[in-house]
Amino acid sequence: ASGLYGQLKAESDAGNDDEYDISGFSGHFALAFPQGHGFSGEVYSGTNLGGYNGAIGLAGTVDGVASKGGWVSAWAKVSPQFTLGAGVGRDDPDDADVAANSRCKNQAYFGNIQYAVVPQASIGFELSQWETSYKGAEKAKNLRAQTSFILNF
């Protein structure tokens, strides 16, 4: 578990300084079983967390942008070389704190496969479906594919 509290200072167009609160709490878990599978995840809740990649990156305001979200994933080692994974994540600012036509929720689903070339190096492929909701506008969807090279040392 972790948390934060502080104040940020913003300068208005008129040259005035405004201070606003930033706060957050998060919890994380990771479980790995000897049989070669596991689960992990994280949840968070807070206010003005755009600078910490929360609230869909919406910058803080003096009035505050409350948000909550998290992710969960599962993985299984299906052979000595192959590992499969899948999960879902969500970032959901409070709609009342979001301006019209702004992002008001992100959600993603993903699946991946990794192949261990040698114990210290693997290559991978991930496919994910992303959906962004907008306050008062249509949702946007994006299917993403990406590759990876992972070196463990």
Side-chain angles (χ1 to χ4, degrees), residues 66-101:
S67 63
K68 61 188 175 302
W71 58 269
V72 63
S73 68
W75 59 270
K77 193 167 185 93
V78 296
S79 79
Q81 286 83 27
F82 285 100
T83 303
L84 300 176
V88 61
R90 174 183 272 191
D91 194 1
D92 191 6
D94 186 339
D95 288 356
D97 297 337
V98 175
N101 298 318

Side-chain angles (χ1 to χ4, degrees), residues 119-138:
Q120 298 80 16
S122 60
I123 56 174
F125 176 77
E126 180 169 286
L127 192 61
S128 59
Q129 174 68 47
W130 291 69
E131 184 176 285
T132 300
S133 298
Y134 293 85
K135 186 175 181 179
E138 282 191 41

Side-chain angles (χ1 to χ4, degrees), residues 9-58:
K9 185 181 273 189
E11 186 174 309
S12 69
D13 291 338
N16 299 325
D17 287 340
D18 289 318
E19 290 185 354
Y20 55 97
D21 293 336
I22 179 170
S23 62
F25 173 80
S26 69
H28 178 84
F29 75 93
L31 299 168
F33 299 98
Q35 300 86 351
H37 64 280
F39 305 92
S40 60
E42 186 172 271
V43 295
Y44 86 89
S45 180
T47 303
N48 290 328
L49 297 173
Y52 295 89
N53 294 326
I56 313 177
L58 296 174

